[in-house]
């Protein structure tokens, strides 16, 4: 099974150690970190630990973090994947795009591919996602792929919306 996933306009490629600096650059971008990182700048060492965990997850569970690369420009514009958050039983959908790549449907396209991968390759019965309540753009992406809000909680002082979709 190949872990490179393809959509009409995108390639989703597993993030490996040689992508460490690229992932760090994405995560420290002020637009990305505003919601995804609680506006904290992750040190390179923390991002390296994420990459190692993602590689291990790919080897053991066939899931992790993928770079989102445009086919035409061959440019990495963000990442998407499945990651363990909170105390959930299975990893959640996560995605982030650099600001210049937003409002073009890329997040929806990448998230849809991960959803398909979850249900058809990993045989998940449902998929969860969460996002900061003020992050309306992210909530719109989850709605476009069919997720519905199931809960709202305050986590570490931040209001979060929890979303879910059942296997179709």
């Amino acid at each position: 099974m190949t872990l490179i996933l393809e959509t009409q306009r995108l390639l989703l490629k597993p993030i490996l150690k040689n992508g460490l600096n690229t992932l760090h650059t994405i995560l420290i971008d002020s637009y990305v970190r505003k919601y995804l990182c609680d506006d904290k700048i992750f040190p390179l060492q923390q991002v390296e630990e994420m990459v190692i965990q993602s590689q291990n997850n790919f080897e053991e569970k066939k899931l992790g973090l993928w770079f989102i690369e445009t086919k035409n420009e061959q440019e990495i514009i963000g990442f998407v994947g499945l990651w363990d958050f909170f105390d959930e039983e299975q990893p959640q959908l996560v995605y982030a795009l650099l600001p210049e790549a937003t409002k073009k449907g890329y997040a929806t396209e990448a998230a849809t591919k991960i959803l398909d991968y979850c249900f058809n390759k990993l045989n998940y019965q449902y998929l969860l996602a969460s996002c900061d309540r003020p992050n309306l753009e992210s909530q719109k992406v989850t709605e476009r792929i069919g997720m519905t809000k199931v809960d709202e909680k305050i986590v570490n002082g931040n209001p979060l919306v929890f979303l879910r979709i059942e296997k179709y």
Side-chain angles (χ1 to χ4, degrees):
M1 170 173 41
T2 179
L3 293 175
I4 296 177
L5 307 177
E6 188 173 352
T7 70
Q8 183 179 349
R9 301 180 295 163
L10 305 171
L11 289 175
L12 308 182
K13 297 180 176 180
I15 299 176
L16 306 174
K17 260 203 161 159
N18 63 359
L20 171 62
N21 289 328
T22 303
L23 180 59
H24 187 247
T25 299
I26 293 168
L27 286 170
I28 64 172
D29 179 89
S30 61
Y31 177 83
V32 172
R33 76 171 191 257
K34 178 178 181 181
Y35 295 119
L36 191 62
C37 309
D38 296 332
D39 213 19
K40 294 180 177 75
I41 295 178
F42 288 179
L44 189 61
Q45 181 180 351
Q46 184 177 357
V47 179
E48 183 176 25
E49 291 166 7
M50 290 173 63
V51 170
I52 290 167
Q53 182 62 53
S54 181
Q55 277 189 240
N56 291 340
N57 286 346
F58 275 121
E59 289 170 17
E60 296 167 18
K61 306 175 194 172
K62 306 290 184 236
L63 59 88
L65 300 175
W66 286 265
F67 278 131
I68 302 170
E69 181 180 306
T70 57
K71 285 183 180 177
N72 289 346
E73 297 82 12
Q74 296 181 328
E75 180 182 8
I76 293 173
I77 58 170
F79 68 91
V80 64
L82 299 163
W83 200 253
D84 289 308
F85 291 102
F86 314 116
D87 294 324
E88 299 296 337
E89 292 179 16
Q90 70 184 28
Q92 287 187 32
L93 174 67
V94 62
Y95 48 86
L97 290 179
L98 291 167
E100 58 271 18
T102 61
K103 302 196 186 324
K104 297 176 181 171
Y106 292 138
T108 302
E109 192 171 325
T112 299
K113 188 64 179 183
I114 296 299
L115 185 65
D116 176 67
Y117 180 78
C118 285
F119 291 159
N120 296 314
K121 299 290 187 206
L122 300 178
N123 205 27
Y124 282 16
Q125 298 305 304
Y126 66 93
L127 183 62
L128 298 172
S130 62
C131 52
D132 289 20
R133 189 180 326 135
N135 190 351
L136 299 179
E137 291 302 316
S138 189
Q139 288 181 55
K140 287 178 188 173
V141 170
T142 61
E143 290 167 5
R144 280 194 288 273
I145 67 169
M147 296 184 115
T148 55
K149 183 166 71 168
V150 293
D151 201 3
E152 284 194 39
K153 297 178 187 171
I154 304 292
V155 179
N156 299 326
N158 297 317
L160 297 182
V161 175
F162 291 81
L163 305 110
R164 180 179 175 124
I165 186 170
E166 301 295 322
K167 186 171 183 174
Y168 41 78

